[in-house]
Amino acid sequence: MNFFTWCIIAAGFGMAIGTLGTAIGQGLAVKSAVEGVSRNPGASGKILTTMMIGLAMIESLAIYALVICLIILFANPYTATVLQNLGAVAK
């Protein structure tokens, strides 16, 4: 396999791991919020606000993973070095 195929595989795995962690975190946050509302329905407004802020923070992790994967795919800083080394090997 060549360098670009490995980049695609790395980006795919990075995004999969990033979204897996994010999904687990969001699920746990919503579970805890629902349990909190069921125990104390009067505090549902505060719990909902805190949960939304927490979900936004957790979602930002998935966005960071997406940005890193896009950098790996489209703006990889090692592309020029790898192509230069491949050119040197091919000579």
Side-chain angles (χ1 to χ4, degrees):
M1 285 195 260
N2 63 12
F3 175 71
F4 298 108
T5 306
W6 285 111
C7 288
I8 292 169
I9 292 171
F13 274 112
M15 198 65 216
I17 292 169
T19 54
L20 177 69
T22 302
I24 291 171
Q26 286 183 340
L28 290 174
V30 171
K31 174 187 163 273
S32 298
V34 169
E35 287 176 355
V37 168
S38 68
R39 285 190 207 134
N40 189 4
S44 64
K46 291 181 180 178
I47 292 172
L48 180 67
T49 303
T50 306
M51 182 190 74
M52 288 297 183
I53 292 170
L55 289 178
M57 297 262 191
I58 294 169
E59 188 65 30
S60 68
L61 296 175
I63 294 170
Y64 292 148
L66 175 66
V67 168
I68 296 297
C69 291
L70 290 175
I71 288 172
I72 289 172
L73 289 177
F74 298 111
N76 194 334
Y78 299 110
T79 301
T81 305
V82 168
L83 290 178
Q84 184 181 13
N85 290 338
L86 288 177
V89 170
K91 288 182 182 177

